[in-house]
Amino acid sequence: MAQAFAAGLKSMDYEAVIGLEVHAELLTNSKVFCGCSAKFGAQPNENTCPVCLGMPGALPVLNRRAVEFAIRAGLASRSTVAACSRWARKNYFYPDLPKGYQISQYELPICTGGAIDIDTSAGSKTIRLTRIHMEEDTGKNIHDAHGDSSLVDFNRCGVPLLEIVSEPDIRSSEEAGAYLRKLRTLLQYLEICDGNMEEGSFRCDANVSIRPRGTTPLGTKVEIKNMNSFRNVERAIDHEISRQAAVLRDGGSLVQETRLWDPDREATRSMRSKEFAHDYRYFPEPDLLPLVVSNEWIETVRNALPELPDARRQRFVASYGLPEYDAEVLTARKDVADYFEAAVRAHANAKAVSNWVMGEMLRLIKERHLDAALIIRAWPVLPERLAEMVALVDGGSISGKIAKTVFEAMVKTGKAAPDIVAAQGLTQISDAGEIDAAIDAVLAANPDKVAEYRSGKDKLFGFFVGQVMKATQGKANPQKLNEILKKKLQA
Amino acid sequence: MSELLRLSISEANDLLSRRKVSSVELTTAALQRIRNSDDRLRCFLTVTDDLALAQARRADERLARGETGSLLGIPLGIKDVILTKGVRTTAASRILENFIAPYDATVSRRLFEAGAVCVGKLNCDEFAMGSSTENSAYQVTRNPWDHDRVPGGSSGGSAAAVATGQCIGSLGTDTGGSIRQPAACCGVVGIKPTYGRVSRFGVIAYASSLDQVGPMGRCVEDCARILSVIAGHDTNDSTSVEVSVPDYAEALGPSCKGLRVGIPKEYFVEGMQPEVEKAVHAAVAQFERLGAVVSEVSLPHTEYAVPTYYLIATAEASSNLARYDGIKYGLRRGESDGLLAMYRRTRAEGFGTEVKRRIMLGTYALSAGYYDAYYLKAQKVRTLIRRDFEKVFAQQDVIVAPTAPTTAFRVGEKTSDPLQMYLSDIFTISINLAGLPGISLPCGFDAMGLPIGLQIIGRPFEEARVLQAAHAYEQSTEWHKRSPPD
């Protein structure tokens, strides 16, 4: 019987229960409790002052802009923004934490509740949020750069963060990925976070447990850290689900612990177990007053909210007549959607512009790593220039094929399409006489092929087209070429 | 001792503005006095001769241009938990032995902008934790009235230096009585302002929800003058309050007519020194003679003040002192043995016994499973204590009580018994918990010739009324005119 039971366990089907904690760095100009610049990329410890260095006697002063950003996030995620929330100290020792405590929120966070809607292959689903709270970021320890000793860079210390905690509503790595992408898109639309996982401005920890499918009690929770890309989050979750299932199937039991994802080994390893979990000794921060947010403030922020991604996607379908898929891809990034709309304003062929943006443009941006953090950097083609090029195609000045060449030249040189077309002589040949002459020359050079065609080998038509195109350097107007060639071959 | 060093601020101010004396002369006299007396008294941790003379010269230039200002050119001392840019600031701790302050505390800046002269940094209990200044990592300050006795604490250096004429006035800090109790022990005046009245920016934190900076001087008016300069809202301290600052000295007068004075019965306890009780009762009678209406009142939660304080203050301290970790500044030990060893050795060698005791107490009170029973409970009791005062102040204008249960005790007398030491603050701690202003001023001497302190407590932001009552009493008595033996 024991064997039968074990066999039952082995064949048991498990369901994953996943909650995500996201840390989003806010794009304020200055830090959350002092006036230092919050910008990334300065020389080590350039952006520091007595407050963010935890000097004796220094006191925090709240940056109201960071609060406004938190309210934006709360409203956009349908959270309740608290009229009064409270700062708390989270106490632990670490070199990158200069005060020996992090100013955070604990019992009374600024936002509670809320939800994010996601779409997956299985359909749409709502992931509830537990809370959103504000806190300060830590510095960065730098090891092995200076002999045996470690260095600390406090530039990041005090940069405002939102911690966004989901309910354990996520059931798969796919849902986790969809949730993170959706959340990142939302924060980007709100212009409060650049969402760069590699640079660490958008970080994610996952709480993963499994339970036999169809049961409700929660299994033992494992926290996974150190996942610095969406793909790593998905892989780490998949790996952790399999690992937990394997332990249970072998009759073992899971321990509540924190595990680190090792992307090179494609595995998680234990960092600390529950017994060694920190006691953070939270208590209300006596150096700051409770955070009071008036209704007027909330309404001011609400009225200034930009169009959010879901609404924009629907509008792209309704007002531009774009397919759902196009609308989805274009609106996934605010900068891309803005670019698209600017181009369409200049030349109202939405589908053609969409094809160019989704196709060539996103491909080149990806290939050349011109984007970082969902903000297009160093993309040389202004939306009006793209529109101008599409207009050349639509007006018959260049062929779609030539357009690709022109577009690549635009990206390389930053020049306008008409200039490139003129300089390289790429204007489409639509003049019947010119095409006529080119065809005659090709037919004259290939009498045997002409004979074969005329005896029924229709497939050779393409050969003749290719030869004429070659002779005209691809500039022949394809429609006219087809027309005239057909006539001549029939003759 | 130079007569210059017995001047009040207004007397010195008068001489300075009439060019009868220069700030350099005044400052030189103070520095001379420190040189001659401080090897016995041990009030100063750092004497800032060069800074003082430079500031004095600048003050003289301003005076020569006809500028006026109540502190212009006046030599003051600053407790060593208050940051003074470019000057060593240690909090009387080994862990900050070589720490040069990178910026000025708001109170330091305000003093310096007003033209005050800093003669040096004053000894105190390490991180302001103590009631005798014996917890200083560097030296034991002596009571000027009897060198075998303590000056009180934690602002013992600030009190003793003023009493003995090493400076005209000083700044102290008061978390549970640390200005008022040493003022009482040394026979000087010291006021702890309302929480939020004076900026804490640049003041090394002990217990953030209780700490306040305040002035110490040889008369009420001197304290009023200093307070007018340091008080007021500061954008760098979110807990400082935007309430306008009156000219406290201007408002002083001789009358207490109609002043409603409450005498809390809980502040006359068994075990207190009979001479203290007698002196305070005599002072109350004096208030009646000045026209005050005296009633007995009750502050029923008084007995919980000491335990409440030692939970809240230590909890905050355990967090506030976490930054002294050897990483960024101050003492560093054991760095070659890894991070944990570095933390352990730095803090083991950097902190003294009392500081460690309070860090451990506070860490315990905040720990998971104990938070509700200790820290949270203490916060609730704190609210009850505050309400006690609110009820009394609905009927009374000020409360008059002893500052400390005894006069200054002997050096070493209580160092082995922390609980006995904690009881030195039994009458002052509630006022910090309630965030109220409280002053201590001399109201007599015991048989051994040691000064006795009288405490006057007011409503939030009513420092002017507290100072007025204190001034009226002081001017009707002779106590403040006595000086310790030279």
Side-chain angles (χ1 to χ4, degrees), chain A residues 50 53-61 89 91 93-95 98-101 154 279 281-284 286-289, chain B residues 83 99 103 200-203 208 235-239 319-320 322-324 328-329 339 343 363 366-368 371 375:
Chain A
L53 287 176
M55 283 287 172
L59 296 172
V61 176
R89 289 189 185 177
N91 294 285
F93 285 95
Y94 208 57
K99 299 188 296 297
Y101 57 85
F154 291 109
D279 176 358
R281 306 189 310 279
Y282 283 99
F283 74 106
D287 287 332
L288 289 167
L289 303 178
Chain B
L83 266 60
F99 180 71
Y103 69 102
R200 295 183 296 114
F201 184 71
V203 179
S208 310
T235 51
N236 286 324
D237 176 1
S238 310
T239 64
S319 176
N320 283 334
R323 68 187 62 196
Y324 308 105
K328 307 162 293 283
Y329 46 75
L339 182 62
Y343 282 153
T363 303
L366 290 175
S367 294
Y371 180 87
Y375 182 80

Side-chain angles (χ1 to χ4, degrees), chain B residues 385-462:
Chain B
I385 289 170
R386 188 179 291 136
R387 285 198 194 134
D388 279 358
F389 281 101
E390 283 166 7
K391 274 183 207 149
V392 169
F393 279 125
Q395 311 289 330
Q396 309 297 331
D397 297 318
V398 294
I399 292 170
V400 168
T403 304
T406 68
T407 54
F409 45 88
R410 289 182 184 283
V411 171
E413 189 179 327
K414 297 187 180 181
T415 42
S416 59
D417 188 348
L419 283 180
Q420 272 306 308
M421 187 75 91
Y422 294 172
L423 290 175
S424 310
D425 297 328
I426 189 168
F427 299 144
T428 46
I429 272 176
S430 300
I431 286 78
N432 297 79
L433 290 169
L436 303 171
I439 197 169
S440 178
L441 72 164
C443 70
F445 288 82
D446 71 4
M448 289 170 296
L450 297 169
I452 297 169
L454 179 74
Q455 188 177 206
I456 305 173
I457 303 148
R459 297 193 192 105
F461 298 99
E462 290 196 355

Side-chain angles (χ1 to χ4, degrees), chain A residues 223-296:
Chain A
E223 184 185 30
I224 315 170
K225 289 179 173 290
N226 196 42
M227 304 168 290
N228 64 355
S229 70
F230 288 132
R231 204 160 143 58
N232 275 326
V233 173
E234 289 160 347
R235 276 158 38 177
I237 287 173
D238 280 337
H239 172 272
E240 183 58 22
I241 294 169
S242 320
R243 188 193 68 85
Q244 291 186 13
V247 169
L248 295 183
R249 284 192 184 110
D250 288 351
S253 58
L254 294 162
V255 286
Q256 190 174 330
E257 60 180 342
T258 299
R259 297 178 73 87
L260 290 181
W261 170 247
D262 181 341
D264 299 328
R265 286 178 48 239
E266 296 249 341
T268 59
R269 62 185 155 80
S270 185
M271 184 174 112
R272 59 172 177 253
S273 70
K274 191 189 172 189
E275 296 89 84
F276 296 99
H278 290 297
D279 176 358
Y280 290 117
R281 306 189 310 279
Y282 283 99
F283 74 106
E285 163 60 289
D287 287 332
L288 289 167
L289 303 178
L291 174 55
V292 174
V293 178
S294 68
N295 270 330
E296 291 74 33

Side-chain angles (χ1 to χ4, degrees), chain A residues 86-93 99-102 106-107 278-286, chain B residues 206-209 307-322 347 357-379 382:
Chain A
R86 200 158 60 182
W87 301 100
R89 289 189 185 177
K90 178 180 181 177
N91 294 285
Y92 65 95
F93 285 95
K99 299 188 296 297
Y101 57 85
Q102 179 189 31
Y106 185 57
E107 283 174 320
H278 290 297
D279 176 358
Y280 290 117
R281 306 189 310 279
Y282 283 99
F283 74 106
E285 163 60 289
Chain B
Y206 157 25
S208 310
S209 74
T308 300
Y309 172 87
Y310 278 97
L311 289 168
I312 292 172
T314 59
E316 291 177 3
S318 72
S319 176
N320 283 334
L321 270 61
R347 291 168 68 84
R357 180 168 18 247
R358 294 195 193 191
I359 290 173
M360 283 190 283
L361 265 171
T363 303
Y364 188 80
L366 290 175
S367 294
Y370 299 97
Y371 180 87
D372 289 1
Y374 295 120
Y375 182 80
L376 203 60
K377 185 84 158 270
Q379 288 293 6
R382 183 177 187 175

